[in-house]
Amino acid sequence: MAIVGARCAGAATAMLLARRGYRVLLLDRARFPQDTLSTLFIHMRGVALLEQWGLREAVLGTGCPQLTEMSFAAPGVRIEGPVTPQGTVNAVCAPRRYALDAVLAEAAVRAGAEFRQRVSVNGLCREDGAVTAVRHTLRDGRGEVVERARLVIGADGRHSTVARLAGAPYERRDGKLTRARYTYWSGIAGEAVRLFVAPGAGAAALPTQDGLTLVNVQDPVGTPGGAREDRQRGYLRLLERASPELRQLVAGGRQEERLYSCSDLPNFFRRPWGPGWVLVGDAAYHKDPIGAQGIADAFEQAALLDDCLADGIADAERTRAGLRAYAAELVRRFTGPYEENLRYARLRMSEQELCWLREHQGDPAFRSAFLRSLSGAE
């Protein structure tokens, strides 16, 4: 099998399939370790999968703190408390992607996958309408290579080259709803996941490696953003809108990296498979990062694809049946969370919703259920 894309979805899929004894080729255009656009947050269900795969300690060993407390703040609302344990897992985390992705890729290689970095995928080869090989160029100057594969797996993100080359159609498109701006701060006390929502703005503070905190803010696409030199001031104004408390937190800290910005955040489902190919992770479906669910979703999809394929790759009919089952389960399992995330991404919390939260925030049972949902515990 050939897997294009070696980050959360691709490396996890490569590791699981290699552990089954399959010959797996893992390709990526980057040279690892390398950072990438990310909310960093791994929901509880994602951490539970890392534990199941034997990788949780390796991820924590990169220096990202275990986060056992969460808080949610909106106008007149504050809900905070401990993360709900899931089995033996009692904390979430937010590792930098250069660290997390390297752990996953190394686990795939230990399982037997071959990992080629700094390659560009140029095409897919077909026989009788089915994809049978992937063409890629090595950036060390050795030219183009054609690798035959029983299955080509596209785990190469929302602008997937495999999806484009395979002709994977969109099955649902809901446009772009927000733009995100984020950077890393030192000097922000506390090791808790902190989420903030206000009309027209959402924000998060997530402790990560090296004593740094990722501070992200999102606002609706189309909101006037000003000139490039005004983006820093715009970022700070958005933090103030999302939460004066958060703006105060960063005022007491120090910005350690440049400001990153992204408005290319589409919401969609693609048709996830066809003869000889399948998509996983953001290539299959992508939703706004307002809920920070991308990493846990990628892990869950990798596990789902592994379960559906199982030991049937050598048989064409069993492979097709497995891919059909994967596609159906993808829609069944992720449509509800996708639609809920669309609602949050519109950043239009009504006064009625706020009143309901204010009324129930003092109820311990409600608080526990609310925080359980935020942490992604099953």
Side-chain angles (χ1 to χ4, degrees):
M1 276 174 283
I3 300 176
V4 180
R7 294 193 181 271
C8 289
T13 303
M15 175 194 69
L16 294 172
L17 293 173
R19 285 179 177 180
R20 287 189 182 272
Y22 290 119
R23 181 171 175 266
V24 177
L25 174 64
L26 183 61
L27 306 170
D28 202 282
R29 64 184 178 184
R31 180 180 293 282
F32 283 34
Q34 188 179 98
D35 223 354
T36 190
L37 174 74
S38 180
T39 59
L40 306 187
F41 185 45
I42 307 181
H43 282 253
M44 184 67 78
R45 58 194 167 91
V47 180
L49 282 170
L50 288 174
E51 173 85 353
Q52 178 182 318
W53 298 337
L55 298 179
R56 181 181 170 220
E57 292 306 315
V59 171
L60 295 176
T62 66
C64 66
Q66 297 194 73
L67 307 174
T68 59
E69 299 286 325
M70 297 192 73
S71 71
F72 171 86
V77 176
R78 177 172 294 279
I79 302 171
E80 55 191 359
V83 169
T84 305
Q86 181 171 325
T88 60
V89 177
N90 61 0
V92 292
C93 60
R96 292 289 293 262
R97 289 296 299 276
Y98 64 77
L100 173 65
D101 296 345
V103 167
L104 293 167
E106 288 163 8
V109 171
R110 283 198 306 273
E114 178 186 351
F115 183 23
R116 295 181 193 168
Q117 304 178 54
R118 292 182 56 78
V119 301
S120 298
V121 171
N122 305 321
L124 302 176
C125 302
R126 288 179 169 83
E127 294 176 13
D128 299 324
V131 171
T132 56
V134 60
R135 299 195 338 258
H136 65 280
T137 302
L138 304 170
R139 295 189 188 177
D140 63 4
R142 284 186 286 164
E144 188 173 79
V145 176
V146 177
E147 290 285 355
R148 292 188 65 83
R150 290 184 182 273
L151 188 64
V152 174
I153 300 173
D156 47 344
R158 63 193 186 279
H159 297 304
S160 169
T161 296
V162 172
R164 175 176 56 81
L165 293 173
Y170 289 98
E171 295 188 326
R172 175 171 179 173
R173 301 178 80 173
D174 292 283
K176 302 172 184 179
L177 299 178
T178 75
R179 61 182 175 185
R181 304 175 196 182
Y182 70 94
T183 189
Y184 296 89
W185 297 79
S186 61
I188 296 181
E191 290 194 347
V193 176
R194 287 174 278 199
L195 308 174
F196 307 87
V197 175
L206 296 161
T208 187
Q209 274 96 343
D210 303 319
L212 299 181
T213 298
L214 170 71
V215 179
N216 170 74
V217 66
Q218 290 177 244
D219 64 341
V221 164
T223 304
R228 182 176 295 273
E229 59 270 21
D230 294 330
R231 287 181 182 173
Q232 182 73 24
R233 287 196 295 272
Y235 167 74
L236 295 175
R237 282 195 299 270
L238 274 174
L239 292 183
E240 179 78 29
R241 185 193 306 171
S243 168
E245 173 193 350
L246 182 57
R247 178 65 181 90
Q248 258 192 328
L249 277 174
V250 301
R254 173 177 170 174
Q255 185 175 333
E256 298 292 350
E257 294 192 19
R258 71 177 182 87
L259 181 65
Y260 302 91
S261 180
C262 182
S263 57
D264 183 17
L265 301 170
N267 296 274
F268 64 77
F269 278 82
R270 284 191 178 104
R271 181 172 185 240
W273 76 282
W277 61 271
V278 63
L279 306 176
V280 66
D282 287 348
Y285 99 102
H286 184 266
K287 61 177 179 280
D288 191 280
I290 194 78
Q293 297 180 56
I295 296 175
D297 282 0
F299 291 170
E300 196 168 345
Q301 289 176 60
L304 173 62
L305 182 59
D306 174 60
D307 286 343
C308 289
L309 292 174
D311 60 352
I313 296 281
D315 181 86
E317 186 50 45
R318 288 180 66 188
T319 299
R320 284 193 293 272
L323 295 179
R324 283 193 293 267
Y326 168 73
E329 185 64 10
L330 197 72
V331 171
R332 187 198 70 78
R333 191 178 300 185
F334 292 104
T335 297
Y338 173 87
E339 291 177 344
E340 184 178 31
N341 198 74
L342 285 177
R343 184 169 66 84
Y344 293 144
R346 293 187 176 96
L347 294 171
R348 297 176 192 155
M349 184 172 283
S350 68
E351 187 59 33
Q352 182 179 7
E353 290 173 297
L354 286 170
C355 286
W356 186 79
L357 287 172
R358 291 170 191 143
E359 180 182 343
H360 290 85
Q361 62 183 324
D363 179 353
F366 172 81
R367 181 169 62 247
S368 177
F370 185 85
L371 293 174
R372 181 181 179 84
S373 175
L374 284 184
S375 71
E378 292 181 348

